[in-house]
Amino acid sequence: MADVGEVLMSVLSTIRVPKPGDRVHKDECALSFSSPESEGGIYVCMNTFLGFGSQYVDRHHARTGQRAYLHITRTRKAKKEDENNSGSGHPPKKKPTRLAIGIEGGFDVEQELYEEDVKVVILPDRQEVTSEDLSTMPDVVRERVSLSMSGIMAADSVSHTLQVQQWDGEVRQESKHAANLKQLDNGVKIPPSGWRCEVCDLQENIWMNLTDGKVLCGRRYFDGSGGNNHALLHFQETGYPLAVKLGTITPDGADVYSYDEDDMVLDSKLPEHLAHFGINMMTMEKTERTMTELEIAVNQRVGEWEVIQESGTTLKPMFGPGLTGMKNLGNSCYLNSVMQVLFTVPDFQSTYVSNIDKIIDEAPSDSTQDFKTQVAKLGYGLLSGEYSKPAPDPVDEVGSPEPRGDQVGIAPRMFKALVGRGHPEFSTNRQQDAQEFLLHFINMVERNCRSGPNPSEAFRFLVEEKIVCQQSQKAKYTQRVDYIVQLPVPMDQAANTEELKEAERRREEGDSSAPTVRAQIPFSACMAALSEPEMLTDFWSSAVQAKTSATKTTRFASFPDHLVIQIKKFTFGLDWVPKKLDVSIDVPDTLDLSALRATGQQPGEELLPEVAPPPLMTPDVEVKGILGSHGNEDDDSLYSPLLSPVLDDSTVSQLCEMGFPLEACRKAVYYTGNTGIDAAMNWIMSHMDDPDFSAPLVLPGSSSGPGTTPTESLSEEHLATIVSMGFSRDQATKALRATSNVLERAVDWIFSHLDDLDSMEVSEAGRSAAESEGGRDPPPGPRVRDGPGKYELFAFISHMGTSTMCGHYVCHIKKDQQWIIFNDQKVCASEKPPKDLGYLYFYRRVAD
């Protein structure tokens, strides 16, 4: 064997020192979830700075020829017990006093203590070089290798930079209204105690408006406690922005909320503003918990959430293949829950996990940025059982590690970074909607499975929409692709209406002991609401050439292998404030949807003529003579894209006042046919994630204009790519024209607009209607599977909290006839799966 010094000299030119901007992967293997704490540690390539576990480093060496690796291993240090230990074996934890993470007084982030061993390893013979060995080597070798070693160890690892190490929820900004707040000289003086809401007499959670001195109750919390929203309603009526929480005022400050800025704020003139209403801040004492204390309490207890998390019972931890926990990377429970469920679906297992060796062999040089590799890595990590082991306690001075309830599990940092890259929400550490993430991930699967097996086909199905003109009784059939059934929640069908009314009456009377009653909605009522015809009051009928009423009925044109049902728990109140419906639904274990299969055109049924409605135009536009470049004097069927649609200005204004972009508001009003604020708002909520959400409105039929590209300039390669995904050339053309020929935006656009544009309708043969009318054979539409509409429940995802943007997600999955709860790193046998409180339900097809 050659002298190690000579070997180092021979590979010296390949050893690099990390520069600013280099991505150093020293905490996680690019192809597995090995880390420095794992058996065998991690090997960091000293040229590319990619990290590899011991099982993959030889493969990287053989493929790239790189020989020098920095081998990093960590072992837990012995941990002394606290002198004040109660004898439980665990040092007492300080109670948090700040709404913060990782800083003094905040929630404690468990920091393990490690002993670290670092040395250079030269492959293929695995010759080792320590720092001490370097001291005896030539200066040129010692300097280059030492600089590389210290540079790698000093650099922030990619996984570290992706995490939020510290967060302080108490950092508040000065309100923009504080300096020049208008205060009314209305003679109002507030007593130092004994406050009641002026509307409902509630005595808790009381706020005083700093403009007019109105004393009113605060917001209602998701569990029914809190207030009755009277302070919020007062702001909406008056526009007076700032309120102070009475009972939190001390010489040091108070809780001040800005309704206009929708956040807790600072008011540097608070003593002056309070004195205006006779309150001497220096003599006040705290009698209520501050909002920070309330939030800390919510984060510490599981009382409201114990049913979903099954925290009232001792659950048996589960370990083994398919029973691997996932670490929460900071509000990543939505991702954890969705991916746990997806990798119980055979299509995802066979596409990614069964082919992991082939995927890794074909991966690009930087596999951390390869979608298939990272998905396969995640799937293997979840299913193999290699990481499904009890997480040991830090070793104490006397004994060996004791197992805890949590697992070692996996931390999907690379995966989260990759699937969230470039996305305004999923790239952050904020909580997200699990349903939105599921669709986002399916979209990425569609993009990356243009050839070969596509596991998202397991969820894909066709929806048939039948519209019947009530005046002519003629019908129109369209089909669209979908992946999720959105099930409405008819609150008026609650089985316990009287209990709900009684609880509400007691609350309005200020009875603080009034129980929280959850609405019990029959599943059959939800299905009836889904299947019943919808009335369209402003439908343009091509049969009568005018607007009239119509009915729209939605049915399944195909039944997928796996059916996802979303309970539409998240909605808007009359004041457009988002709220979550607190409901219990008796979701069944088995489901038969056969009665909802579409039937297509019936014998003797007449279809509406295929005539486009006249373009919406402003009254002062003269059609003749403004034909644009595609018109001529004898044919005015094509109008100039310069013509503006008639839009209801009041509806557009209302939407803009809610903070939505002007062009999005115009599109919402246009695409809902000026049918009012409700329809427009629903359109906005359904299309907020569209890539062109804020792009200017482009009228159907326009050949060019903002956001469009002439057909002749479209990339044939881009067209071919979209067509290879199962879409028609007509659909691909429209998508590319609407997104300036940008492929990724076009793919997003086409999935978001399948139900919006007539040109994307699919005939019964699964082909584009526009192409079917031509003489050529068009390519087929998106491929769907079909079979009996009978299903059994195998998983559900539950959400706890007031909205999708906060709270916590867990999932329950049925494995070998046993329900298992996956709560981040905790994986346990479920005793009482709360099937009535789920948000997303997953069914698999059963044979007749």
Short mmCIF file of all heavy atoms in Angstrom, two decimals, residues 515-559:
data_model
loop_
_atom_site.label_atom_id
_atom_site.label_comp_id
_atom_site.label_asym_id
_atom_site.label_seq_id
_atom_site.Cartn_x
_atom_site.Cartn_y
_atom_site.Cartn_z
N PRO A 515 -71.39 24.78 27.59
CA PRO A 515 -70.52 23.75 27.01
C PRO A 515 -70.24 24.02 25.54
O PRO A 515 -71.00 24.69 24.85
CB PRO A 515 -71.34 22.46 27.19
CG PRO A 515 -72.76 22.94 27.17
CD PRO A 515 -72.76 24.28 27.82
N THR A 516 -69.10 23.49 25.07
CA THR A 516 -68.79 23.54 23.65
C THR A 516 -69.42 22.34 22.97
O THR A 516 -69.12 21.20 23.32
CB THR A 516 -67.26 23.53 23.42
OG1 THR A 516 -66.69 24.66 24.07
CG2 THR A 516 -66.95 23.57 21.94
N VAL A 517 -70.33 22.60 22.05
CA VAL A 517 -71.05 21.52 21.38
C VAL A 517 -70.58 21.45 19.93
O VAL A 517 -70.55 22.46 19.22
CB VAL A 517 -72.58 21.75 21.43
CG1 VAL A 517 -73.31 20.62 20.72
CG2 VAL A 517 -73.05 21.87 22.88
N ARG A 518 -70.20 20.26 19.50
CA ARG A 518 -69.74 20.05 18.12
C ARG A 518 -70.91 19.60 17.25
O ARG A 518 -71.66 18.70 17.62
CB ARG A 518 -68.62 19.02 18.11
CG ARG A 518 -68.09 18.68 16.71
CD ARG A 518 -66.90 17.75 16.79
NE ARG A 518 -65.73 18.44 17.31
CZ ARG A 518 -65.04 18.05 18.38
NH1 ARG A 518 -65.40 16.96 19.04
NH2 ARG A 518 -64.00 18.72 18.80
N ALA A 519 -71.07 20.25 16.10
CA ALA A 519 -72.15 19.88 15.18
C ALA A 519 -71.93 18.48 14.64
O ALA A 519 -70.83 18.14 14.19
CB ALA A 519 -72.22 20.89 14.04
N GLN A 520 -72.97 17.65 14.68
CA GLN A 520 -72.92 16.28 14.18
C GLN A 520 -73.64 16.23 12.84
O GLN A 520 -74.86 16.34 12.77
CB GLN A 520 -73.56 15.32 15.19
CG GLN A 520 -72.82 15.29 16.52
CD GLN A 520 -73.55 14.47 17.57
OE1 GLN A 520 -74.57 13.84 17.28
NE2 GLN A 520 -73.04 14.50 18.79
N ILE A 521 -72.84 16.09 11.76
CA ILE A 521 -73.38 16.11 10.41
C ILE A 521 -73.40 14.70 9.84
O ILE A 521 -72.36 14.04 9.78
CB ILE A 521 -72.55 17.03 9.49
CG1 ILE A 521 -72.27 18.39 10.16
CG2 ILE A 521 -73.24 17.20 8.14
CD1 ILE A 521 -73.50 19.22 10.39
N PRO A 522 -74.56 14.19 9.41
CA PRO A 522 -74.59 12.85 8.79
C PRO A 522 -73.80 12.84 7.47
O PRO A 522 -73.90 13.78 6.68
CB PRO A 522 -76.09 12.62 8.54
CG PRO A 522 -76.80 13.58 9.42
CD PRO A 522 -75.90 14.78 9.53
N PHE A 523 -73.02 11.79 7.28
CA PHE A 523 -72.27 11.66 6.03
C PHE A 523 -73.21 11.62 4.83
O PHE A 523 -72.90 12.15 3.76
CB PHE A 523 -71.41 10.38 6.08
CG PHE A 523 -70.53 10.19 4.88
CD1 PHE A 523 -69.35 10.90 4.75
CD2 PHE A 523 -70.88 9.31 3.87
CE1 PHE A 523 -68.52 10.72 3.64
CE2 PHE A 523 -70.08 9.13 2.75
CZ PHE A 523 -68.90 9.84 2.65
N SER A 524 -74.37 11.02 5.03
CA SER A 524 -75.35 10.95 3.93
C SER A 524 -75.80 12.34 3.50
O SER A 524 -76.05 12.57 2.31
CB SER A 524 -76.57 10.12 4.37
OG SER A 524 -77.15 10.68 5.56
N ALA A 525 -75.86 13.28 4.45
CA ALA A 525 -76.24 14.65 4.10
C ALA A 525 -75.15 15.32 3.27
O ALA A 525 -75.44 16.09 2.34
CB ALA A 525 -76.52 15.46 5.37
N CYS A 526 -73.89 15.03 3.58
CA CYS A 526 -72.78 15.58 2.79
C CYS A 526 -72.81 15.03 1.37
O CYS A 526 -72.61 15.78 0.40
CB CYS A 526 -71.44 15.25 3.45
SG CYS A 526 -71.24 15.91 5.12
N MET A 527 -73.06 13.73 1.24
CA MET A 527 -73.12 13.13 -0.10
C MET A 527 -74.30 13.66 -0.89
O MET A 527 -74.21 13.88 -2.11
CB MET A 527 -73.21 11.61 0.02
CG MET A 527 -71.96 10.94 0.56
SD MET A 527 -70.47 11.29 -0.43
CE MET A 527 -70.94 10.58 -2.00
N ALA A 528 -75.43 13.90 -0.21
CA ALA A 528 -76.60 14.46 -0.89
C ALA A 528 -76.29 15.86 -1.40
O ALA A 528 -76.68 16.23 -2.52
CB ALA A 528 -77.79 14.48 0.05
N ALA A 529 -75.56 16.65 -0.58
CA ALA A 529 -75.21 18.01 -1.00
C ALA A 529 -74.26 17.98 -2.19
O ALA A 529 -74.29 18.86 -3.05
CB ALA A 529 -74.57 18.77 0.16
N LEU A 530 -73.40 16.95 -2.25
CA LEU A 530 -72.47 16.82 -3.38
C LEU A 530 -73.20 16.47 -4.67
O LEU A 530 -72.88 16.98 -5.74
CB LEU A 530 -71.43 15.74 -3.06
CG LEU A 530 -70.45 15.38 -4.19
CD1 LEU A 530 -69.45 16.51 -4.40
CD2 LEU A 530 -69.72 14.08 -3.87
N SER A 531 -74.19 15.59 -4.57
CA SER A 531 -74.81 15.04 -5.77
C SER A 531 -76.03 15.82 -6.25
O SER A 531 -76.46 15.64 -7.39
CB SER A 531 -75.22 13.59 -5.51
OG SER A 531 -76.12 13.50 -4.42
N GLU A 532 -76.60 16.68 -5.41
CA GLU A 532 -77.82 17.37 -5.83
C GLU A 532 -77.51 18.41 -6.91
O GLU A 532 -76.42 19.00 -6.92
CB GLU A 532 -78.50 18.03 -4.64
CG GLU A 532 -77.72 19.16 -4.01
CD GLU A 532 -78.38 19.71 -2.75
OE1 GLU A 532 -79.36 19.10 -2.27
OE2 GLU A 532 -77.91 20.76 -2.26
N PRO A 533 -78.43 18.65 -7.83
CA PRO A 533 -78.21 19.62 -8.89
C PRO A 533 -77.99 21.03 -8.33
O PRO A 533 -78.61 21.42 -7.34
CB PRO A 533 -79.50 19.56 -9.72
CG PRO A 533 -80.10 18.23 -9.40
CD PRO A 533 -79.74 17.95 -7.98
N GLU A 534 -77.11 21.76 -8.98
CA GLU A 534 -76.83 23.15 -8.58
C GLU A 534 -77.55 24.09 -9.55
O GLU A 534 -77.51 23.89 -10.76
CB GLU A 534 -75.31 23.39 -8.65
CG GLU A 534 -74.90 24.82 -8.37
CD GLU A 534 -73.42 25.05 -8.61
OE1 GLU A 534 -72.69 24.05 -8.85
OE2 GLU A 534 -72.99 26.22 -8.58
N MET A 535 -78.22 25.09 -9.00
CA MET A 535 -78.94 26.04 -9.83
C MET A 535 -78.00 27.13 -10.34
O MET A 535 -77.27 27.74 -9.57
CB MET A 535 -80.09 26.68 -9.04
CG MET A 535 -81.28 25.77 -8.81
SD MET A 535 -82.04 25.18 -10.36
CE MET A 535 -82.51 26.72 -11.14
N LEU A 536 -78.02 27.36 -11.66
CA LEU A 536 -77.26 28.45 -12.29
C LEU A 536 -78.28 29.49 -12.74
O LEU A 536 -79.14 29.21 -13.58
CB LEU A 536 -76.45 27.93 -13.48
CG LEU A 536 -75.52 26.75 -13.20
CD1 LEU A 536 -74.83 26.29 -14.49
CD2 LEU A 536 -74.49 27.10 -12.15
N THR A 537 -78.19 30.68 -12.17
CA THR A 537 -79.22 31.69 -12.45
C THR A 537 -78.86 32.61 -13.60
O THR A 537 -79.70 33.38 -14.06
CB THR A 537 -79.46 32.54 -11.19
OG1 THR A 537 -78.22 33.13 -10.78
CG2 THR A 537 -80.00 31.67 -10.04
N ASP A 538 -77.61 32.54 -14.07
CA ASP A 538 -77.19 33.49 -15.11
C ASP A 538 -76.46 32.75 -16.22
O ASP A 538 -75.38 33.14 -16.64
CB ASP A 538 -76.28 34.55 -14.48
CG ASP A 538 -76.36 35.88 -15.22
OD1 ASP A 538 -77.29 36.05 -16.01
OD2 ASP A 538 -75.49 36.72 -15.00
N PHE A 539 -77.07 31.66 -16.71
CA PHE A 539 -76.43 30.79 -17.71
C PHE A 539 -76.79 31.27 -19.11
O PHE A 539 -77.97 31.49 -19.44
CB PHE A 539 -76.93 29.36 -17.50
CG PHE A 539 -76.45 28.40 -18.56
CD1 PHE A 539 -75.12 28.00 -18.60
CD2 PHE A 539 -77.33 27.90 -19.52
CE1 PHE A 539 -74.69 27.10 -19.56
CE2 PHE A 539 -76.89 27.01 -20.49
CZ PHE A 539 -75.56 26.62 -20.51
N TRP A 540 -75.76 31.43 -19.96
CA TRP A 540 -76.01 31.82 -21.35
C TRP A 540 -76.32 30.56 -22.15
O TRP A 540 -75.47 29.66 -22.29
CB TRP A 540 -74.81 32.54 -21.95
CG TRP A 540 -75.13 33.15 -23.28
CD1 TRP A 540 -75.66 34.39 -23.52
CD2 TRP A 540 -74.94 32.54 -24.57
NE1 TRP A 540 -75.82 34.58 -24.87
CE2 TRP A 540 -75.39 33.47 -25.54
CE3 TRP A 540 -74.47 31.31 -25.00
CZ2 TRP A 540 -75.36 33.21 -26.90
CZ3 TRP A 540 -74.43 31.04 -26.35
CH2 TRP A 540 -74.88 31.99 -27.30
N SER A 541 -77.52 30.45 -22.66
CA SER A 541 -77.96 29.28 -23.40
C SER A 541 -77.80 29.52 -24.89
O SER A 541 -78.36 30.47 -25.45
CB SER A 541 -79.42 28.97 -23.07
OG SER A 541 -79.93 27.98 -23.96
N SER A 542 -77.06 28.62 -25.54
CA SER A 542 -76.89 28.75 -26.99
C SER A 542 -78.18 28.38 -27.72
O SER A 542 -78.34 28.71 -28.89
CB SER A 542 -75.74 27.85 -27.45
OG SER A 542 -75.99 26.49 -27.10
N ALA A 543 -79.09 27.68 -27.03
CA ALA A 543 -80.35 27.30 -27.67
C ALA A 543 -81.30 28.48 -27.81
O ALA A 543 -81.97 28.63 -28.82
CB ALA A 543 -81.02 26.17 -26.88
N VAL A 544 -81.35 29.32 -26.78
CA VAL A 544 -82.27 30.47 -26.81
C VAL A 544 -81.53 31.77 -27.07
O VAL A 544 -82.15 32.83 -27.13
CB VAL A 544 -83.08 30.55 -25.50
CG1 VAL A 544 -83.91 29.30 -25.31
CG2 VAL A 544 -82.16 30.78 -24.31
N GLN A 545 -80.17 31.67 -27.18
CA GLN A 545 -79.33 32.84 -27.47
C GLN A 545 -79.55 33.95 -26.46
O GLN A 545 -79.65 35.13 -26.79
CB GLN A 545 -79.61 33.35 -28.89
CG GLN A 545 -79.14 32.42 -30.00
CD GLN A 545 -77.62 32.37 -30.08
OE1 GLN A 545 -76.97 33.40 -30.33
NE2 GLN A 545 -77.05 31.20 -29.86
N ALA A 546 -79.64 33.56 -25.20
CA ALA A 546 -79.84 34.55 -24.14
C ALA A 546 -79.48 33.92 -22.81
O ALA A 546 -79.31 32.69 -22.70
CB ALA A 546 -81.30 35.03 -24.12
N LYS A 547 -79.37 34.76 -21.77
CA LYS A 547 -79.12 34.25 -20.42
C LYS A 547 -80.42 33.74 -19.82
O LYS A 547 -81.48 34.35 -19.95
CB LYS A 547 -78.54 35.35 -19.52
CG LYS A 547 -77.08 35.65 -19.82
CD LYS A 547 -76.49 36.58 -18.79
CE LYS A 547 -75.00 36.79 -19.03
NZ LYS A 547 -74.39 37.67 -18.00
N THR A 548 -80.32 32.61 -19.15
CA THR A 548 -81.49 32.01 -18.52
C THR A 548 -80.99 31.17 -17.34
O THR A 548 -79.81 31.19 -17.00
CB THR A 548 -82.27 31.14 -19.52
OG1 THR A 548 -83.43 30.61 -18.87
CG2 THR A 548 -81.41 29.99 -20.04
N SER A 549 -81.88 30.43 -16.70
CA SER A 549 -81.48 29.56 -15.60
C SER A 549 -81.16 28.17 -16.13
O SER A 549 -81.63 27.76 -17.19
CB SER A 549 -82.59 29.49 -14.55
OG SER A 549 -83.77 28.97 -15.13
N ALA A 550 -80.34 27.45 -15.35
CA ALA A 550 -79.96 26.09 -15.73
C ALA A 550 -79.63 25.31 -14.47
O ALA A 550 -79.42 25.89 -13.39
CB ALA A 550 -78.76 26.12 -16.68
N THR A 551 -79.57 24.00 -14.61
CA THR A 551 -79.12 23.15 -13.51
C THR A 551 -77.83 22.46 -13.92
O THR A 551 -77.66 22.07 -15.08
CB THR A 551 -80.17 22.08 -13.16
OG1 THR A 551 -80.44 21.29 -14.32
CG2 THR A 551 -81.46 22.72 -12.66
N LYS A 552 -76.92 22.32 -12.95
CA LYS A 552 -75.66 21.63 -13.21
C LYS A 552 -75.56 20.42 -12.29
O LYS A 552 -75.69 20.55 -11.07
CB LYS A 552 -74.46 22.55 -12.99
CG LYS A 552 -73.12 21.86 -13.31
CD LYS A 552 -71.95 22.82 -13.24
CE LYS A 552 -71.52 23.09 -11.81
NZ LYS A 552 -70.26 23.84 -11.73
N THR A 553 -75.35 19.26 -12.87
CA THR A 553 -75.22 18.02 -12.10
C THR A 553 -73.82 17.46 -12.33
O THR A 553 -73.34 17.40 -13.47
CB THR A 553 -76.27 16.99 -12.54
OG1 THR A 553 -77.57 17.59 -12.47
CG2 THR A 553 -76.24 15.77 -11.62
N THR A 554 -73.16 17.07 -11.24
CA THR A 554 -71.79 16.55 -11.32
C THR A 554 -71.78 15.06 -10.98
O THR A 554 -72.37 14.65 -9.98
CB THR A 554 -70.88 17.30 -10.33
OG1 THR A 554 -70.93 18.70 -10.63
CG2 THR A 554 -69.44 16.83 -10.46
N ARG A 555 -71.14 14.28 -11.82
CA ARG A 555 -71.05 12.84 -11.61
C ARG A 555 -69.63 12.35 -11.95
O ARG A 555 -68.85 13.06 -12.58
CB ARG A 555 -72.07 12.10 -12.50
CG ARG A 555 -73.53 12.34 -12.10
CD ARG A 555 -73.87 11.68 -10.78
NE ARG A 555 -75.28 11.82 -10.43
CZ ARG A 555 -75.76 12.81 -9.68
NH1 ARG A 555 -74.96 13.77 -9.25
NH2 ARG A 555 -77.04 12.84 -9.37
N PHE A 556 -69.34 11.10 -11.56
CA PHE A 556 -68.05 10.47 -11.87
C PHE A 556 -68.11 9.85 -13.26
O PHE A 556 -68.91 8.95 -13.50
CB PHE A 556 -67.72 9.38 -10.86
CG PHE A 556 -67.38 9.87 -9.48
CD1 PHE A 556 -68.36 10.06 -8.52
CD2 PHE A 556 -66.06 10.14 -9.14
CE1 PHE A 556 -68.05 10.51 -7.26
CE2 PHE A 556 -65.74 10.60 -7.87
CZ PHE A 556 -66.73 10.78 -6.92
N ALA A 557 -67.24 10.31 -14.16
CA ALA A 557 -67.11 9.65 -15.46
C ALA A 557 -66.17 8.46 -15.37
O ALA A 557 -66.16 7.59 -16.24
CB ALA A 557 -66.61 10.64 -16.50
N SER A 558 -65.36 8.41 -14.31
CA SER A 558 -64.53 7.25 -14.02
C SER A 558 -64.29 7.20 -12.53
O SER A 558 -64.35 8.22 -11.85
CB SER A 558 -63.19 7.31 -14.78
OG SER A 558 -62.39 8.36 -14.26
N PHE A 559 -64.01 6.01 -12.02
CA PHE A 559 -63.70 5.84 -10.60
C PHE A 559 -62.23 5.47 -10.47
O PHE A 559 -61.77 4.49 -11.07
CB PHE A 559 -64.57 4.75 -9.98
CG PHE A 559 -66.01 5.15 -9.78
CD1 PHE A 559 -67.03 4.47 -10.43
CD2 PHE A 559 -66.34 6.22 -8.95
CE1 PHE A 559 -68.35 4.83 -10.25
CE2 PHE A 559 -67.66 6.59 -8.76
CZ PHE A 559 -68.68 5.90 -9.42
#
